[in-house]
Amino acid sequence: MLDATTAPPLLKIDALEAWYGESHVLHGVGIEVRQGEVVTLLGRNGAGKTTTLRSIMGLVGRRTGSIAYEGREMIGLRSDLIARAGIGYCPEERGIFASLDVTENLMLPPVVRAGGLDLPTIYALFPNLKERARSPGTKLSGGEQQMLAIARILRTGARLLLLDEPTEGLAPVIVQQIGAMIREIKQRGFTVLLVEQNFRFAQTVADRHYVMEHGRVVDMVPNSDMASNVERLHEYLGV
Amino acid sequence: MVLGLVNGAFYALLSLGLAVIFGMLNVVNFSHGALFMMGAFVAWMLLNWLGIGYWWALLLSPLIVGTFGVLLERLMISRLYKLGHLYGMLLTFGLGLIIEGVFRNEFGSSGLPYSPPPEFRALTVDFGFMILPGYRAWVVLASLIVCLATWVVIEKTRLGSYLRAATERAELVQAFGINVPRMITLTYGGGVALAAFAGVLAAPIYSVNPNMGSNFIITVFAVVVIGGMGSILGSVVTGFALGMIEGFARVVYPEASATVVFVIMAVVLLTRPAGLFGRA
């Protein structure tokens, strides 16, 4: 298990239950993410990975349990206040706005804290975004939209980034670029909670993996043990 | 035609307010006409009760009525967002009737005079082919300026990008740390202030009476439908264009002037259901 002498976790979720209307989606999820880690949530479709991220952001109808960020309880907060506490969210459908151009999309999330990347750094990391600054956001390719969706939360000073399946539907070469980018932002001190279905990709970027099934966390595998657990993961993910 | 242009100026301002509100709240604000009327009445009250003249009223009345709109949104309309469109429509329709009823009770329905500011009395603008009384020229100019300013705010500023984004996906905008409920309230207040501004502009032209809103608002809804629900540019362009078409009809075939707008609306709905400038 985790070393008890390390600092308290940046994000600690305990006994999290969540509902969409009448349907009870999460049943007591517990995860921890430490400062500077890249942690994935693996699992099949419908296991509750996306709902876990949405619950952290306060985007589900009802939730109970505990979500502590930097030791502060967030479960009752409105989603704009959760974002302002320093959590950046990149949704599964990327959430690029069609009526905003690339620059407006990039500048949309307000800066919540000092210490975000400045524009020159972001353009250096994502040169395409600079070239296409005036295009409508949704005229970008899928990969470019994904880059934009991640770039705009790097600007805000958020320290914890929630990325929901950033590789979904992208060509392998773009997936590699996204992987390189996640390693780059980890080096810059960001903490990442990543939802993935593709555990081969997850293996190339993450420190630890939580496995979810039916709205529960059923396993935690450190990345160093991935190789010896391939069989088990195959079973969980049904691949 | 001249009268058409002036009417067009009011259509543009009113449908602009409706479009802004609809885009953000998804509520068709049926009390818009009543709030327009209220704008004119507030100007009248400022003058007759407090001695505050036209120019200050042009600023104060939108602020006062806009604040009233903020209260309406906070206390009542905001409770209906989780329900369907129909409820917001019914509520605002009812509110409009109540507001009109209160004013009719208080002031009767015969109308109160409000004279144009003295600056315009002797002024006319000569275009060569027509002569426009100074005040009416001012109405057209003021409407154009305010429409343009609104467009610039929405299309070119940071605040405007929040508004456009929230129109697409309010939930996500909020998850980026923007207080969307407050933005919605201010948008409603802003749209209402536009109606009140139009009301003050209208006060010296039409007599100030409790029905002045309902006379306008039917046509304005047609303008909004033709322009495309929620389209800013559409409502401004269509507002002016329809005012002129209506004025033109009044000259060549007066019997048609009251119906031409609705004929156009029917044709547009049949051929382009999303409106001329609407996104389907």
Side-chain angles (χ1 to χ4, degrees):
Chain A
M1 278 309 280
L2 293 168
D3 185 357
T5 59
T6 50
L10 185 66
L11 177 76
K12 184 170 175 19
I13 300 179
D14 241 335
L16 176 66
E17 315 250 326
W19 290 261
Y20 280 120
E22 290 295 301
S23 64
H24 192 168
V25 187
L26 298 183
H27 305 266
V29 170
I31 58 177
E32 288 185 1
V33 183
R34 287 167 193 281
Q35 173 71 47
E37 268 190 318
V38 174
V39 172
T40 63
L41 295 177
L42 298 172
R44 300 183 205 202
N45 272 332
K49 310 181 300 290
T50 293
T51 307
T52 303
L53 292 197
R54 290 178 57 86
S55 301
I56 298 171
M57 288 318 296
L59 294 172
V60 295
R62 186 156 78 89
R63 63 213 207 284
T64 63
S66 165
I67 299 170
Y69 177 67
E70 294 182 324
R72 193 174 144 213
E73 183 54 56
M74 314 288 266
I75 193 94
L77 290 185
R78 246 185 15 222
S79 59
D80 52 322
L81 300 175
I82 295 171
R84 290 198 172 264
I87 305 182
Y89 175 53
C90 174
E92 189 173 10
E93 8 30 86
R94 296 168 193 143
I96 301 300
F97 297 98
S99 55
L100 275 62
D101 68 25
V102 169
T103 309
E104 285 175 326
N105 265 293
L106 186 59
M107 302 305 284
L108 183 77
V111 170
V112 295
R113 244 188 238 192
L117 303 186
D118 55 13
L119 269 186
T121 314
I122 284 181
Y123 284 141
L125 283 173
F126 309 97
N128 289 9
L129 298 184
K130 190 170 190 180
E131 284 164 29
R132 316 226 22 202
R134 290 285 148 220
S135 321
T138 43
K139 286 275 161 10
L140 299 181
S141 70
E144 287 170 329
Q145 287 191 28
Q146 188 61 62
M147 299 286 182
L148 176 55
I150 297 174
R152 69 180 168 189
I153 52 175
L154 296 176
R155 244 192 69 246
T156 64
R159 301 310 294 163
L160 171 65
L161 309 181
L162 310 179
L163 308 183
D164 198 342
E165 289 207 44
T167 62
E168 192 186 20
L170 298 179
V173 57
I174 311 285
V175 172
Q176 281 178 18
Q177 281 178 26
I178 303 247
M181 188 195 54
I182 292 174
R183 286 187 292 272
E184 162 89 30
I185 60 182
K186 175 182 159 76
Q187 278 213 326
R188 288 175 181 267
F190 287 94
T191 307
V192 178
L193 179 57
L194 177 72
V195 161
E196 261 306 328
Q197 298 220 41
N198 175 349
F199 83 84
R200 279 171 230 289
F201 170 76
Q203 214 175 347
T204 65
V205 295
D207 300 306
R208 291 185 297 124
H209 310 273
Y210 284 100
V211 182
M212 290 190 74
E213 239 172 29
H214 307 303
R216 291 179 181 82
V217 170
V218 292
D219 208 344
M220 197 280 284
V221 185
N223 203 43
S224 47
D225 297 352
M226 272 299 250
S228 51
N229 286 294
V230 170
E231 283 304 309
R232 222 161 87 213
L233 286 163
H234 271 300
E235 208 162 296
Y236 284 132
L237 300 172
V239 283
Chain B
M1 281 292 271
V2 178
L3 185 69
L5 200 59
V6 176
N7 272 343
F10 292 120
Y11 295 159
L13 276 175
L14 287 171
S15 55
L16 177 64
L18 276 178
V20 170
I21 290 173
F22 179 78
M24 191 71 191
L25 283 74
N26 247 327
V27 165
V28 180
N29 184 30
F30 267 86
S31 49
H32 217 63
L35 294 161
F36 161 80
M37 175 273 291
M38 216 174 137
F41 264 100
V42 169
W44 183 89
M45 289 182 222
L46 287 172
L47 181 67
N48 289 281
W49 295 356
L50 300 171
I52 295 173
Y54 175 84
W55 296 106
W56 279 107
L58 208 49
L59 179 71
L60 288 175
S61 175
L63 281 178
I64 293 167
V65 180
T67 309
F68 178 69
V70 164
L71 290 177
L72 286 185
E73 197 279 338
R74 261 314 61 207
L75 296 176
M76 292 187 250
I77 304 171
S78 61
R79 297 172 195 276
L80 296 180
Y81 296 142
K82 290 203 172 81
L83 304 168
H85 285 242
L86 199 59
Y87 292 90
M89 210 168 84
L90 285 172
L91 175 69
T92 55
F93 189 62
L95 286 172
L97 289 179
I98 292 170
I99 295 168
E100 283 188 7
V102 166
F103 277 88
R104 198 170 301 128
N105 245 357
E106 210 53 42
F107 297 96
S109 46
S110 54
L112 304 163
Y114 189 97
S115 32
E119 289 86 340
F120 292 111
R121 232 160 256 163
L123 195 71
T124 55
V125 181
D126 191 345
F127 288 102
F129 61 96
M130 64 178 191
I131 292 174
L132 196 57
Y135 184 74
R136 286 163 196 253
W138 156 248
V139 166
V140 175
L141 183 70
S143 166
L144 278 174
I145 292 171
V146 169
C147 289
L148 186 70
T150 309
W151 182 83
V152 168
V153 166
I154 290 177
E155 292 298 323
K156 300 290 167 200
T157 65
R158 172 67 71 94
L159 176 69
S161 70
Y162 291 167
L163 283 171
R164 278 175 287 142
T167 301
E168 283 183 51
R169 288 192 56 187
E171 175 191 270
L172 184 58
V173 173
Q174 183 152 6
F176 284 146
I178 296 166
N179 187 340
V180 173
R182 188 170 63 199
M183 214 164 74
I184 289 178
T185 305
L186 293 178
T187 303
Y188 189 78
V192 165
L194 284 173
F197 181 81
V200 182
L201 284 181
I205 297 184
Y206 311 93
S207 71
V208 178
N209 78 74
N211 304 321
M212 63 192 289
S214 14
N215 297 342
F216 260 112
I217 208 67
I218 312 267
T219 314
V220 169
F221 280 120
V223 168
V224 171
V225 170
I226 295 168
M229 292 296 274
S231 160
I232 307 294
L233 183 67
S235 49
V236 174
V237 173
T238 318
F240 276 101
L242 285 186
M244 284 176 24
I245 290 171
E246 207 183 53
F248 186 67
R250 196 159 296 159
V251 176
V252 294
Y253 188 60
E255 293 83 349
S257 69
T259 49
V260 62
V261 170
F262 301 99
V263 173
I264 294 174
M265 179 176 88
V267 172
V268 167
L269 279 181
L270 286 172
T271 51
R272 292 201 52 161
L276 294 177
F277 294 81
R279 286 178 298 245

